[in-house]
Amino acid sequence: YFVLFSKVQINDNKLKVKLHVQQFKPEDITVKIENNKLTICGKHEKKTDEGHSYFAQEFVQQYTIPEVI
């Protein structure tokens, strides 16, 4: 179980989002913008060497981009 912290700042016609995602590698994270929605997704999967156990973490964060940006 993990808690995802985010911080959003809007100034000078810029949207800045900071996420606490240290459990994820950069290649585990995708960022998309469609219409006026910013979507940040992360998915991390891990299997034991024997392949008997499986562990996964996943998150999706969405933000509406203001018209002024």
Side-chain angles (χ1 to χ4, degrees):
Y1 177 76
F2 71 99
V3 177
L4 185 69
F5 295 103
S6 67
K7 181 178 180 181
V8 178
Q9 294 177 331
I10 300 172
N11 47 14
D12 298 328
N13 293 332
K14 294 180 185 177
L15 174 68
K16 185 176 186 178
V17 178
K18 291 184 179 185
L19 296 176
H20 178 75
V21 291
Q22 69 184 29
Q23 300 94 333
F24 296 87
K25 297 177 185 173
E27 59 267 20
D28 296 335
I29 298 173
T30 58
V31 178
K32 293 190 295 187
I33 297 176
E34 285 186 31
N35 301 321
N36 66 331
K37 295 274 187 198
L38 169 66
T39 304
I40 304 170
C41 305
K43 186 171 185 180
H44 172 74
E45 300 176 354
K46 187 184 258 188
K47 293 181 181 179
T48 61
D49 292 336
E50 299 83 31
H52 300 292
S53 298
Y54 177 80
F55 174 77
Q57 288 181 318
E58 187 172 3
F59 75 88
V60 176
Q61 291 284 108
Q62 282 193 326
Y63 304 91
T64 300
I65 300 171
E67 295 287 328
V68 296
I69 296 181

